[in-house]
């Protein structure tokens, strides 16, 4: 069952995460999105060590749409080089996976 992915990114505030979620889901690139935050983050960025708070955005997508989702996130994300990563959904209830499949089906 690797037809589906959870794609993650993060933003500096809730409003930016909501805007990204709405743009991806309304375009039917993702069946749904969860916004979690604020979450603590510790990182290296541009050669400097830092920490702060971010809002995590987790999208549920069909794996065939990953390239489109990545391109959409990179185009609409407020950061120049945001995290965009994906992990496979290896199992799920039949009804949930059916919903994910039909919601993100290309016309």
């Amino acid at each position: 069952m690797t037809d589906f992915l959870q794609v993650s990114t993060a933003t500096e505030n809730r409003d930016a995460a909501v805007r990204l979620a709405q743009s991806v889901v309304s375009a039917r690139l993702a069946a749904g999105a969860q916004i979690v935050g604020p979450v603590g983050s510790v990182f290296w960025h541009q050669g400097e060590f830092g920490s702060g708070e971010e809002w995590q955005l987790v999208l549920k997508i069909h794996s065939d749409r990953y390239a489109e989702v990545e391109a959409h996130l990179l185009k609409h994300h407020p950061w120049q080089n945001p995290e965009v990563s994906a992990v496979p959904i290896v199992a799920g209830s039949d009804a949930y996976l059916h919903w994910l499949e039909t919601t993100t089906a290309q016309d």
Side-chain angles (χ1 to χ4, degrees):
M1 263 193 242
T2 58
D3 292 341
F4 307 102
L5 302 171
Q6 282 192 347
V7 177
S8 299
T9 191
T11 62
E12 68 181 342
N13 59 55
R14 185 181 187 282
D15 290 341
V18 169
R19 282 192 301 276
L20 273 178
Q22 290 174 335
S23 69
V24 174
V25 175
S26 67
R28 290 199 173 262
L29 295 173
Q34 293 174 315
I35 298 167
V36 182
V39 295
S41 183
V42 177
F43 51 84
W44 282 97
H45 181 65
Q46 297 179 338
E48 294 187 21
F49 182 76
S51 63
E53 290 185 341
E54 300 176 328
W55 290 79
Q56 186 177 35
L57 176 60
V58 180
L59 304 162
K60 282 77 170 168
I61 74 165
H62 194 283
S63 59
D64 290 349
R65 309 293 303 270
Y66 178 79
E68 292 173 89
V69 171
E70 180 184 295
H72 185 96
L73 290 173
L74 293 175
K75 179 179 179 180
H76 297 283
H77 203 288
W79 293 346
Q80 190 171 24
N81 185 26
E83 166 203 359
V84 178
S85 61
V87 295
I89 297 174
V90 297
S93 70
D94 289 340
Y96 174 76
L97 296 178
H98 178 74
W99 167 78
L100 210 162
E101 174 87 42
T102 58
T103 304
T104 58
Q106 295 178 332
D107 294 330

